[in-house]
Amino acid sequence: MALSVEKVSHAYGARQALQDVSFTIAPGSFAVLLGLNGAGKSTLFSLITHLYATRSGRVRIFGHDIGRTPSEALRLLGVVFQSRTLDLDLTVLQNLVYHAALHGIGRRAARERAQQVLARVRLVDRAADKVRNLSGGQMRRVEIARSLLHGPRLLLLDEPTVGLDIKARADILAHVRELVAEDGVSVLWATHLIDEIAEEDQLVVLHQGRLLAHGPAMQVVAGTGAPDIGGAFARLAGIDKVPAFDGLA
């Protein structure tokens, strides 16, 4: 499996953020981690990326236990966090070369890889531009390019379209789906937006720290008897309807 999460729990003092969460992501698949704000998605990502130590349960990336062999596991992982982390006063290329150095990639190889990943996200022509001169969607594409520099096999994206307009959101989602279809990268895409889920996606539903469902999106919908994904989520979570976010239902 590309990702295996087994009975993972996590608490902040007395507050239980995750409770016995278990699911798997198959290699070369696009999986959506769906949950409202506060569901525990970012906490789960922090455990998968080893920002937090896993005290209860196990996380494995292509068979490597993140707690026992973190270097081997993280070598296969690329991450795009919700918060922007690019240096606005450096150029796109400088940001990528600096990040590559953190992975032990030499300067010449870093520049070559930077050109390759920028081509992958269609931003080669902006390599010499300072990041502050890019649009929000372009910044996200640079962050995706940066996450690909070391050749990961699993890509995690935590609410990557937050704050973007509808077109930019669609472009980012299309770019990541292309990575799955053309390069065989496995993806776990965290979101609270129903319209970012396709019928063929794998779906992991998280609510108040608990896993409510896991499987092909249409199978999850069928299991609830709801007419669509939004209705299925509402039934699983025990709420009247899915709240509107960013102007979308």
Side-chain angles (χ1 to χ4, degrees):
M1 287 294 167
L3 175 65
S4 175
V5 176
E6 304 171 18
K7 295 186 177 300
V8 168
S9 298
H10 191 80
Y12 300 101
R15 183 173 73 85
Q16 194 73 37
L18 294 172
Q19 182 66 49
D20 290 329
V21 173
S22 298
F23 64 91
T24 59
I25 301 299
S29 64
F30 187 100
V32 178
L33 177 62
L34 176 65
L36 303 178
N37 292 333
K41 302 189 301 296
S42 292
T43 296
L44 181 59
F45 269 37
S46 293
L47 293 168
I48 295 172
T49 58
H50 205 47
L51 289 177
Y52 298 161
T54 307
R55 299 188 179 92
S56 177
R58 174 180 294 182
V59 174
R60 289 182 290 182
I61 298 171
F62 285 97
H64 298 286
D65 190 308
I66 193 69
R68 297 177 180 176
T69 57
S71 296
E72 288 84 350
L74 295 175
R75 179 174 54 83
L76 302 172
L77 182 66
V79 186
V80 177
F81 289 106
Q82 183 173 342
S83 300
R84 304 272 171 83
T85 56
L86 297 170
D87 189 321
L88 299 180
D89 292 316
L90 296 181
T91 68
V92 170
L93 182 60
Q94 287 170 336
N95 268 277
L96 297 185
V97 170
Y98 173 76
H99 186 77
L102 300 179
H103 285 279
I105 301 172
R107 188 172 183 81
R108 177 178 295 180
R111 293 178 71 88
E112 292 176 355
R113 293 193 189 188
Q115 291 296 324
Q116 292 169 0
V117 294
L118 286 176
R120 196 69 190 80
V121 298
R122 302 182 186 87
L123 280 177
V124 170
D125 61 330
R126 305 303 297 270
D129 292 354
K130 287 190 175 182
V131 168
R132 69 170 60 255
N133 295 326
L134 303 181
S135 68
Q138 289 169 332
M139 288 184 190
R140 274 301 190 213
R141 282 155 61 188
V142 172
E143 289 179 321
I144 292 171
R146 183 181 61 181
S147 73
L148 297 171
L149 279 169
H150 61 291
R153 297 171 60 193
L154 172 64
L155 187 61
L156 304 186
L157 301 100
D158 188 6
E159 300 272 7
T161 62
V162 165
L164 301 182
D165 60 37
I166 291 176
K167 183 181 184 305
R169 285 177 51 210
D171 287 345
I172 295 299
L173 188 54
H175 280 302
V176 176
R177 290 191 184 280
E178 283 181 8
L179 293 173
V180 176
E182 298 176 8
D183 300 348
V185 176
S186 308
V187 166
L188 181 59
W189 173 286
T191 187
H192 60 262
L193 299 171
I194 298 297
D195 67 330
E196 293 184 348
I197 305 168
E199 293 182 358
E200 65 271 18
D201 292 340
Q202 294 294 305
L203 184 59
V204 179
V205 181
L206 195 65
H207 185 63
Q208 296 180 349
R210 294 181 180 274
L211 184 76
L212 301 185
H214 170 225
M218 288 301 94
Q219 180 177 308
V220 171
V221 172
T224 66
D228 53 33
I229 294 173
F233 178 77
R235 292 187 182 185
L236 287 166
I239 57 180
D240 292 334
K241 64 178 180 178
V242 180
F245 294 95
D246 296 345
L248 298 170

